[in-house]
Amino acid sequence: MIRHSLIALSLAAVAPLAAAKTVTMCVFDVIGANGDMYNMIKDYALEMKAHGVDFELQPYTDEGVAVGDFNSGQCDAVAATDIRTRPFNRFTGTISAVGALPTYGDLKTTLATLAQPKAAPLMEVNGYEVLGIVPAGAGYLFVNDRSIDTAGELAGKRMATLDYQKDAIHMVNHVKATVVPSDITNFAGKFNNGSVDTAYAPAFAYEALELYKGIGNKGGIVDYPLAQLTIQIIARDGVLDDGTAQKSREVAWGMYGQAMNLIERQEAAIPEDKWIRIPQEDIQGYQEMFRKNRLQLRDGTDGAGEVYHPKMLGLLSKIRCASNPGASECTAANRE
């Protein structure tokens, strides 16, 4: 991080004295300006100075407010989770499709692919452009009772579910759990005070949002990624010219290692006895259940909306099958 920042400052120092373009950005971090994600966006902004862009960052602890202010024109760009930014670009918003990226290796391949210039046309949709994608960590199921370690045992359980996340609501209904509408500012409190039995979040929430309180002595974290969450930087089309927008995506991709170091430290900091390891046969069952749900959320069948972008699901399927060619889905007639 420090090395990158020094390089950026050096490049900025020798750059022509042309005025940098000023771009305001609403930045979500549940911790605010002291949070890890906010600081990562600060590093991104510093790198972008070398490309002639001066980002003015505004921290938000509620991403709904951040996106709302972006929509109302109070900032030129917004950095928030892909769950919130999905309406701006359904293609990149499908990266977090349920169970679609079971490993960080698959995520790395995906983000490397999307940072290439040939992917640029897919970054611009309906007047908005994706300027960068940074990992935020896999989403895991937190439970207040370790016996809740299979989909069947979720039936009847109360699950804190983001009320704007249609795919999660469909999944919760599929396993016959009870949706407890929540948002990113209150789901942790509901889990910690026992209002719900389960919640899903990246590992950072264990300490930052004190989810260890909700886990208590009986609960744990199911060690299988429900989804790969990302922070996506979205701007109105034309805020940056095409060349600078591509540089921006490459700068964000260059931060992958920094982001993953942070995520892996957060996951390693969780005590081993809090993880619930599930057997391989259960993992195969989860994968097939997730795949059926993705197809429903692609096609809008079985009560699901058309949430996922077919092209992204196809890309993610190819990446999964490249890393795990023996998976049954790779020869399925209805492969994504």
Side-chain angles (χ1 to χ4, degrees), residues 147-267:
S147 67
I148 310 172
D149 60 354
T150 67
E153 283 150 356
L154 285 167
K157 303 299 181 185
R158 300 161 298 169
M159 182 177 288
T161 310
L162 302 181
D163 50 14
Y164 49 84
Q165 192 180 4
K166 295 179 180 177
D167 52 340
I169 293 171
H170 181 71
M171 190 73 211
V172 173
N173 289 331
H174 177 83
V175 298
K176 297 182 172 29
T178 300
V179 171
V180 178
S182 307
D183 63 42
I184 209 158
T185 66
N186 63 24
F187 83 92
K190 292 181 179 179
F191 181 65
N192 290 341
N193 68 22
S195 298
V196 298
D197 304 299
T198 69
Y200 51 91
F204 90 91
Y206 181 81
E207 282 290 342
L209 300 182
E210 301 180 330
L211 292 190
Y212 55 83
K213 293 181 177 177
I215 290 175
N217 296 324
K218 295 172 53 182
I221 307 166
V222 179
D223 182 26
Y224 188 79
L226 296 176
Q228 294 290 349
L229 303 176
T230 61
I231 295 291
Q232 300 195 5
I233 302 170
I234 310 290
R236 270 176 281 282
D237 198 13
V239 165
L240 299 184
D241 62 67
D242 288 349
T244 308
Q246 178 57 32
K247 286 293 183 186
S248 171
R249 288 188 285 272
E250 293 169 3
V251 166
W253 161 240
M255 304 186 74
Y256 178 86
Q258 178 182 340
M260 287 308 305
N261 286 339
L262 175 64
I263 292 164
E264 287 169 355
R265 285 202 306 273
Q266 292 165 339
E267 295 187 352

Side-chain angles (χ1 to χ4, degrees), residues 314-328:
L315 172 64
L316 300 181
S317 173
K318 289 178 182 175
I319 290 171
R320 288 196 306 276
C321 286
S323 64
N324 183 20
S328 59

Side-chain angles (χ1 to χ4, degrees), residues 76-87:
D76 303 312
V78 63
T81 65
D82 52 72
I83 297 170
R84 270 290 189 188
T85 62
R86 184 179 286 158

